[in-house]
Amino acid sequence: MPVRIVNLKVNGVDQAFMAKPETTLLLALREQLGLMGTKRGCAQGACGSCTVLLDGAPVVSCLVPAVTIDGADIATVEGLADGPVLSDVQQAFLDGFATQCGFCTPGMIMSAEALLARNPDPTSDEVNEAISGNVCRCTGYAPIVSAILDAAQRRRRRTGSEEAAL
Ligand code: FES
Ligand code: FES
């Protein structure tokens, strides 16, 4: 397959770039679009560090050939904050000391975002299940799970008060 132009919407912005058949979504994000927030760990689909949302679903971007997803909507960790205001999940990770070395954090946060989008009030077991593909080499999973539960609570409170104000 020859080099192809791939069009993606990344964090709400239309992007076009040239991709070889072997160019993964992970490499395209980091090396062609300059979005370094998505981390490369194993590059074999086993660690979850490279997790992004593809049309709303979490995927390991190191296993997705960019040429196969022309026209897709991608969300990365760079798209979560609203200017200086972090997302609920980002702020909860920060407040709950859940970042540790931080290498796995973007992938964890994207898996958490996907979970909260489909389940705003998850149990601890559901959080554990949602991040089961994300390996944290620091193995400090307890603060990560607490931060995601905290983020869910913050988001429910915030969206509840926004609805009440309408
Ligand atoms: S870098 Fe993609 S799963 Fe490890
Ligand atoms: S915070 Fe260090 S690998 Fe997860």
Side-chain angles (χ1 to χ4, degrees):
M1 205 193 300
V3 172
R4 294 231 313 249
I5 296 176
V6 177
N7 297 281
L8 298 176
K9 193 178 280 286
V10 183
N11 299 327
V13 177
D14 288 324
Q15 302 275 11
F17 56 90
M18 304 294 288
K20 297 177 187 168
E22 66 271 22
T23 304
T24 62
L25 174 58
L26 171 64
L27 284 182
L29 289 170
R30 290 180 59 86
E31 295 181 5
Q32 281 166 282
L33 303 182
L35 295 171
M36 308 300 273
T38 304
K39 297 293 184 282
R40 181 181 186 274
C42 64
Q44 295 178 344
C47 75
S49 296
C50 64
T51 301
V52 300
L53 305 189
L54 193 166
D55 293 333
V59 295
V60 280
S61 58
C62 67
L63 292 188
V64 178
V67 294
T68 64
I69 56 165
D70 190 40
D73 201 316
I74 304 297
T76 74
V77 72
E78 285 93 344
L80 297 182
D82 183 7
V85 181
L86 297 178
S87 76
D88 296 315
V89 179
Q90 289 173 309
Q91 192 63 54
F93 267 62
L94 199 57
D95 295 345
F97 302 100
T99 57
Q100 300 159 107
C101 82
F103 197 80
C104 68
T105 302
M108 288 280 187
I109 286 176
M110 298 315 289
S111 291
E113 289 285 352
L115 169 67
L116 298 191
R118 68 174 190 276
N119 179 359
D121 191 8
T123 63
S124 298
D125 284 350
E126 288 167 335
V127 170
N128 277 311
E129 169 67 23
I131 61 168
S132 59
N134 295 83
V135 175
C136 176
R137 294 154 192 81
C138 313
T139 68
Y141 289 98
I144 291 171
V145 173
S146 296
I148 296 170
L149 292 169
D150 180 27
Q153 194 176 46
R154 292 176 194 220
R155 190 164 297 185
R156 289 197 305 278
R157 275 204 210 110
R158 184 171 53 74
T159 52
S161 56
E162 280 168 8
E163 277 165 19
L166 291 176

